[in-house]
């Protein structure tokens, strides 16, 4: 999978989960976990006693639905199409999904690539 370098439509992009992010189910939601510090030495010297070395983010219902479909194979358009039923005809849901995917990218949870 190549990362996006030139101009590619967001709808044709393929979201790929970043390797440093782990996810697990907790009830009906997905919880994302990632290291609080990038480097081990930072964790050893800067992490207060009793504080978790990881940050946990619980996704809400729609976020869980989107994350569950990010598999490194589907394009953003394919994810939008698959979630049409989940959003039950909600107005402007495609815009919500693209905004959410861009936020995941901005926050470092995913990268956007193109099919080779």
């Amino acid at each position: 999978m190549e990362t996006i370098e030139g101009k590619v439509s967001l709808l044709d992009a393929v979201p790929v989960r970043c390797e440093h992010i782990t996810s697990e189910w907790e009830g009906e939601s997905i919880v994302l976990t990632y290291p609080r510090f990038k480097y081990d030495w930072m964790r050893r010297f800067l992490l207060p006693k009793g504080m978790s070395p990881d940050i946990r983010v619980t996704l809400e219902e729609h976020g869980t639905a989107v994350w569950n479909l990010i598999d490194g194979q589907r394009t953003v358009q394919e994810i939008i199409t698959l979630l049409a039923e989940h959003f039950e005809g909600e107005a402007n849901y495609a815009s919500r999904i693209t905004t959410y995917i861009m936020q995941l990218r901005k926050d470092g949870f995913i990268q956007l690539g193109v099919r080779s």
Side-chain angles (χ1 to χ4, degrees):
M1 179 76 51
E2 297 177 36
T3 57
I4 293 179
E5 291 178 17
K7 290 189 176 188
V8 174
S9 166
L10 175 61
L11 297 177
D12 294 329
V14 177
V16 179
R17 296 176 185 180
C18 291
E19 292 180 10
H20 68 283
I21 305 295
T22 59
S23 60
E24 63 185 356
W25 284 95
E26 263 187 25
E28 297 290 315
S29 300
I30 288 180
V31 177
L32 305 180
T33 305
Y34 59 97
R36 190 173 297 275
F37 296 106
K38 185 174 182 178
Y39 302 106
D40 285 339
W41 70 267
M42 293 175 89
R43 184 173 59 238
R44 283 195 310 271
F45 294 111
L46 300 176
L47 185 68
K49 285 191 184 253
M51 181 180 275
S52 170
D54 298 317
I55 295 174
R56 295 171 45 89
V57 177
T58 303
L59 302 180
E60 45 79 43
E61 176 189 351
H62 296 313
T64 293
V66 172
W67 184 262
N68 203 30
L69 292 174
I70 295 174
D71 63 1
Q73 303 296 316
R74 295 182 179 102
T75 65
V76 172
Q77 181 61 60
E78 290 167 341
I79 291 171
I80 289 169
T81 301
L82 289 168
L83 288 175
E85 189 175 310
H86 175 81
F87 280 86
E88 298 176 19
E90 184 177 312
N92 226 10
Y93 85 94
S95 173
R96 282 184 63 190
I97 292 172
T98 56
T99 300
Y100 186 71
I101 286 175
M102 290 307 294
Q103 188 64 49
L104 287 173
R105 179 179 182 229
K106 180 182 172 199
D107 291 342
F109 291 105
I110 65 169
Q111 293 179 330
L112 295 175
V114 292
R115 287 189 178 142
S116 327

